[in-house]
C-alpha cells in the first residue's frame, strides 16, 4: 500500500493506498532527486544530483543523501562534495547499502563507481570494479546485485557488495550489455544489442534466444515460465525526432520459447517500471505523465 516517488526540484510524493492518491512531502531541498529506497514503511533514503548556480542552500555542496526514519515526515541530509550523482540506491538493512556513484570528471580517470556503505549512508566505499562507463543502474534479484563490466562481463555480489564474482557472457566486443534481468539466481537474460541471451545456471552457460523483439522494454517474469516485454514503437518523420506510436506487448507462458504479440497499444509508453512483488507492477506512462498499476 505504501510507496514513494521522487523527481526534479526536490519533489517527493507518498501514497498509502497503492497509488490511488499521492501526498507531496517536504524534502527540504530543491535539488533534482534521482533514486529512492525504503527498507520498511519508516526508514528510507533518497539521493540527489549536485547542482550549482542556483539559490537553494544545498547548491554547490555536491550530492545530498536524504534519510528519514518516520516515513518521510522529516529528512536529515548528508553532503558529499565530490559526488555528482548517487544512483540506483538499495539498502539491505538500516546500515548496509549499495549504489552507483558518479564523481567529478577527472581526465584519464574513472568517474563511475559501485559503492557500498556500512553505516547507513554516512560514508561510502568506492569499489575498484571496472564497470561500464556511464553506468546508472545496478540490477537486483532479492539481495543479489549485478552490474555490467567494461569488457562485457557481469559482476555479481551475494554479500551486500563486499565481494564480487565475474560472469562471462557471449556478447561480442563490438557490442555492449544494454540490460540485465534475472528472475532468480539461476535464470537470467542479457540484452546484447544484436542478440538476447538466456542462462539457467547463473551465467555459467548462455544460449542465444529466438525472441520476436530485439531489446528489453518493460521486461518482467512473474514465474519461471510466465513473462512479458512491452516495447515502445517509434517512427521518424522528416528524419528529425521520433514520434512515438504506442507500444506492443509480447507475452510468453513457456519461458520464452514462444511469444504472443499484441496489436499496437496507442496509449501506452512505459518509461520506468517497478515491481514490489513478482505479480504487481507500477509504471510511469510517458504519454500521460501518469502512474499506472498492473
Amino acid at each position: 500500500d505504501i510507496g514513494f516517488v521522487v523527481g526534479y526540484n526536490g519533489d517527493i510524493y507518498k501514497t498509502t493506498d497503492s497509488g490511488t492518491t499521492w501526498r507531496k512531502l517536504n524534502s527540504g531541498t530543491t535539488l533534482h532527486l534521482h533514486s529512492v529506497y525504503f527498507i520498511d514503511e519508516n526508514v528510507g533514503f533518497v539521493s540527489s544530483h549536485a547542482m550549482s548556480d542556483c539559490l537553494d542552500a544545498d547548491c554547490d555542496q555536491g550530492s545530498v543523501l536524504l534519510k528519514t526514519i518516520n516515513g518521510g515526515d522529516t529528512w536529515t541530509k548528508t553532503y558529499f562534495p565530490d559526488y555528482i550523482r548517487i544512483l540506483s540506491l538499495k539498502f539491505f538493512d538500516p546500515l548496509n547499502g549499495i549504489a552507483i556513484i558518479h564523481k567529478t570528471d577527472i581526465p584519464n580517470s574513472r568517474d563511475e563507481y559501485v559503492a557500498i556503505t556500512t553505516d547507513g549512508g554516512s560514508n561510502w566505499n568506492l569499489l575498484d570494479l571496472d564497470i561500464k562507463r556511464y553506468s546508472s543502474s545496478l540490477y537486483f534479484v532479492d539481495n543479489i546485485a549485478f552490474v555490467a563490466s567494461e569488457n562485457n562481463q557481469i559482476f555479481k555480489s551475494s554479500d551486500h557488495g563486499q565481494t564480487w564474482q565475474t560472469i562471462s557472457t557471449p556478447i561480442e566486443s563490438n557490442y555492449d550489455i544494454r540490460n540485465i534481468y534475472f528472475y532468480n539466481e539461476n535464470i537470467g537474460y542479457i540484452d546484447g544489442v544484436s542478440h538476447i541471451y538466456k542462462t539457467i545456471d547463473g551465467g555459467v552457460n548462455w544460449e542465444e534466444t529466438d525472441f520476436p523483439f530485439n531489446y528489453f522494454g518493460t521486461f518482467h517474469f512473474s514465474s519461471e515460465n510466465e513473462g512479458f516485454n512491452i516495447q515502445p514503437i517509434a517512427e521518424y518523420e522528416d528524419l528529425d525526432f521520433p514520434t512515438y506510436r504506442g507500444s506492443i506487448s509480447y507475452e510468453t507462458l513457456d519461458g520464452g520459447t514462444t511469444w504472443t504479440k499484441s496489436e499496437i497499444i496507442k496509449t501506452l509508453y512505459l518509461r520506468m517500471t517497478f515491481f514490489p512483488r513478482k505479480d504487481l507492477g507500477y509504471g510511469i506512462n510517458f504519454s500521460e505523465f501518469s502512474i499506472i498499476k498492473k
Side-chain angles (χ1 to χ4, degrees), residues 147-159:
V147 66
S149 80
E150 188 67 28
N151 57 356
N152 284 340
Q153 295 177 317
I154 296 173
F155 296 122
K156 170 187 173 183
S157 177
S158 303
D159 57 5

Side-chain angles (χ1 to χ4, degrees), residues 26 28 49 84 108 117 121 128 146 153 158 166 178 180 189 206 227-228 238-239 246 264 268:
N26 181 12
H49 188 113
I84 301 298
N108 302 317
T117 179
D128 187 23
F146 301 88
Q153 295 177 317
S158 303
T166 301
R178 189 161 48 182
I180 300 170
Y189 303 81
W206 295 91
F228 64 86
D238 301 324
L239 300 178
I264 192 166
L268 184 63

Side-chain angles (χ1 to χ4, degrees), residues 133-255:
R133 287 185 63 81
Y134 311 113
S135 293
S136 60
S137 296
L138 291 156
Y139 302 87
F140 299 99
V141 54
D142 299 324
N143 286 334
I144 302 172
F146 301 88
V147 66
S149 80
E150 188 67 28
N151 57 356
N152 284 340
Q153 295 177 317
I154 296 173
F155 296 122
K156 170 187 173 183
S157 177
S158 303
D159 57 5
H160 304 170
Q162 297 293 329
T163 61
W164 293 82
Q165 169 193 352
T166 301
I167 299 174
S168 297
T169 75
I171 297 175
E172 300 98 336
S173 60
N174 56 325
Y175 288 104
D176 203 0
I177 296 178
R178 189 161 48 182
N179 276 296
I180 300 170
Y181 178 87
F182 272 78
Y183 169 73
N184 57 29
E185 186 172 4
N186 295 315
I187 300 175
Y189 303 81
I190 50 173
D191 172 359
V193 180
S194 63
H195 299 93
I196 295 174
Y197 298 91
K198 177 181 180 178
T199 180
I200 59 173
D201 54 15
V204 176
N205 297 284
W206 295 91
E207 181 178 348
E208 184 178 335
T209 64
D210 185 24
F211 290 174
F213 47 85
N214 56 8
Y215 70 93
F216 296 170
T218 295
F219 190 84
H220 175 72
F221 274 76
S222 56
S223 70
E224 291 186 9
N225 292 316
E226 296 174 284
F228 64 86
N229 187 48
I230 298 176
Q231 189 170 24
I233 304 300
E235 296 177 356
Y236 280 86
E237 295 181 354
D238 301 324
L239 300 178
D240 194 359
F241 295 100
T243 299
Y244 292 100
R245 301 301 185 188
S247 299
I248 291 178
S249 174
Y250 300 85
E251 181 183 11
T252 181
L253 300 176
D254 54 17

Side-chain angles (χ1 to χ4, degrees), residues 70-136:
N70 55 17
D73 291 338
T74 59
W75 300 84
T76 58
K77 300 177 182 178
T78 303
Y79 297 95
F80 298 93
D82 294 332
Y83 299 168
I84 301 298
R85 289 176 292 274
I86 303 176
L87 306 170
S88 202
L89 283 173
K90 163 100 172 176
F91 277 79
F92 306 98
D93 55 51
L95 296 178
N96 294 284
I98 191 169
I100 286 183
I101 289 177
H102 288 208
K103 291 192 66 177
T104 305
D105 186 16
I106 301 174
N108 302 317
S109 68
R110 171 168 293 281
D111 302 326
E112 301 87 16
Y113 295 86
V114 174
I116 59 174
T117 179
T118 57
D119 58 9
S122 298
N123 297 279
W124 292 86
N125 177 26
L126 306 185
L127 305 181
D128 187 23
L129 288 178
D130 188 24
I131 64 173
K132 188 173 68 174
R133 287 185 63 81
Y134 311 113
S135 293
S136 60

